[in-house]
Amino acid sequence: MSVVSGLLSNALVSGAVLALAGLGELLAERVGVLNLGVEGLMALGAMSAVAAVSGTHDPAVGVLAALATGAAAGSLFAFATVVARASQVLCGMALTMGGMGLAATLGRPFAGQPSAATFPVLPIPLLDRLPVLGDALFRQSLPVYVAFLILPLFLHWLLFRTRHGLALRAIGENPAACDAVGMKVLPLRFAYVVLGAAISAGAGAYLTLGFVPSWSDGVTAGRGWIAVALVIFAGYRPWRIVAGALLFGFVGALGYLAQARDWGIPSAFLGMLPYLVTLLFMMLPALTGRGRVAAPAALGVAYYRDQR
């Protein structure tokens, strides 16, 4: 495998975690709910996936366990923010701190141990033989294909090519008007917050069953916060989220290459570099005055039907 092919392959493997987490957060924010608990959801998903495969040795079971855990935690968050109308910011912070603490406590028996099962590589026939790009793009595990192709393609179609997607975006902009024409605002908000939470937890499952692969306290390393910021500065669009995640992965892969070839760059700086470059990239539209995208008008605002 050439240097270019290796860099691109590692970028996809690393960026897939962020892409999945960001796409999950996108669903919640498009219906007007700001979920700052992505870091906690990823930690819970990562821990539950490792725990599940320790007994079954099947990564599919690990993913299902992570999705179920994320949906359960997301249901609690959705009940608090959508039904009880508590502060979305405070509930999100509670989900992050509580999720990370619970994952660290329950995950102690698995700390430092390699995952009992990992995702196998699924090469795409013929395409995997292409020079340079074949090994990088078409010899990946299923979650990478889902993160960079299947899920963003589906979400783009759902949000921007269907009446249902138009309804979801409208709920994020003006829930009172949607309620007035008969849309089920609260059930749709609840459902998509839960679905987004499950996908974010699935990102944690891929982290410990594909990218690392092992469980340790702090394994998410702030990726949940980067995912939240990425959604905002990517203009709430799936393909821009994927592009930002790929950039994060590429810079991280470049750091690994620098360490392997001993370029003389401090390891602490290389570890910080992916976060720094990604944040600078996301700040670029604001600094240049181009590409500004307003958040959904009702983002972070609880909806009271009697006040419409």
Side-chain angles (χ1 to χ4, degrees), residues 232-259:
I232 297 170
F233 290 100
Y236 308 91
R237 293 182 177 270
W239 290 114
R240 293 183 187 179
I241 294 173
V242 168
L246 184 60
L247 174 66
F248 180 93
F250 181 80
V251 177
L254 193 62
Y256 297 143
L257 180 64
Q259 287 182 339

Side-chain angles (χ1 to χ4, degrees), residues 9-10 12-17 20 45-46 49-50 53 58-60 62-63 113-121 139-144 201-215 219 223 256:
S9 178
N10 289 333
L12 289 171
V13 171
S14 176
V17 178
L20 289 169
V50 168
V53 299
D58 186 347
V63 172
Q113 301 178 12
S115 300
T118 58
F119 293 105
V121 173
R139 293 186 61 84
Q140 298 289 350
S141 60
L142 180 59
V144 176
Y206 172 69
L207 179 63
T208 51
L209 300 185
F211 178 51
V212 178
S214 64
W215 160 257
V219 70
R223 288 179 175 85
Y256 297 143

Side-chain angles (χ1 to χ4, degrees), residues 85-110:
R85 302 178 180 88
S87 169
Q88 295 178 14
V89 173
L90 294 180
C91 290
M93 294 297 294
L95 179 56
T96 285
M97 302 305 294
M100 293 180 66
L102 183 61
T105 301
L106 298 180
R108 286 176 183 170
F110 312 103

Side-chain angles (χ1 to χ4, degrees), residues 14-299:
S14 176
V17 178
L18 195 59
L20 289 169
L23 292 171
E25 174 67 8
L26 171 69
L27 288 175
E29 295 200 17
R30 273 294 182 179
V31 294
V33 178
L34 178 63
N35 185 356
L36 297 181
V38 178
E39 186 84 0
L41 290 167
M42 290 178 65
L44 288 171
M47 182 279 301
S48 58
V50 168
V53 299
S54 66
T56 63
H57 298 272
D58 186 347
V61 176
V63 172
L64 291 176
L67 294 176
T69 301
S75 295
L76 292 175
F77 175 79
F79 179 82
T81 56
V82 177
V83 180
R85 302 178 180 88
S87 169
Q88 295 178 14
V89 173
L90 294 180
C91 290
M93 294 297 294
L95 179 56
T96 285
M97 302 305 294
M100 293 180 66
L102 183 61
T105 301
L106 298 180
R108 286 176 183 170
F110 312 103
Q113 301 178 12
S115 300
T118 58
F119 293 105
V121 173
L122 298 176
I124 299 178
L126 299 181
L127 293 178
D128 65 326
R129 299 181 182 179
L130 294 174
V132 182
L133 296 181
D135 282 338
L137 299 181
F138 305 112
R139 293 186 61 84
Q140 298 289 350
S141 60
L142 180 59
V144 176
Y145 297 132
V146 171
F148 284 103
L149 181 62
I150 298 174
L151 188 57
L153 185 64
F154 172 75
L155 291 183
H156 180 83
W157 170 80
L158 175 68
L159 291 172
F160 301 105
R161 295 292 184 270
T162 67
R163 294 184 62 184
H164 183 70
L166 178 61
L168 296 180
R169 290 185 286 129
I171 288 172
E173 295 291 342
N174 194 334
C178 295
D179 194 9
V181 297
M183 293 184 188
K184 304 296 184 181
V185 173
L186 296 185
L188 284 173
R189 274 191 167 186
F190 192 102
Y192 278 91
V193 168
V194 173
L195 179 58
I199 294 174
S200 295
Y206 172 69
L207 179 63
T208 51
L209 300 185
F211 178 51
V212 178
S214 64
W215 160 257
S216 62
D217 186 15
V219 70
T220 54
R223 288 179 175 85
W225 296 110
I226 294 291
V228 173
L230 182 58
V231 172
I232 297 170
F233 290 100
Y236 308 91
R237 293 182 177 270
W239 290 114
R240 293 183 187 179
I241 294 173
V242 168
L246 184 60
L247 174 66
F248 180 93
F250 181 80
V251 177
L254 193 62
Y256 297 143
L257 180 64
Q259 287 182 339
R261 301 206 170 190
D262 194 17
W263 288 357
I265 304 175
S267 59
F269 178 78
L270 292 174
M272 175 191 70
L273 193 60
Y275 301 91
L276 178 62
V277 172
T278 304
L279 286 173
L280 290 175
F281 172 78
M282 292 187 295
M283 291 169 58
L284 189 61
L287 295 175
T288 60
R290 299 178 180 179
R292 295 178 180 173
V293 179
L299 181 62

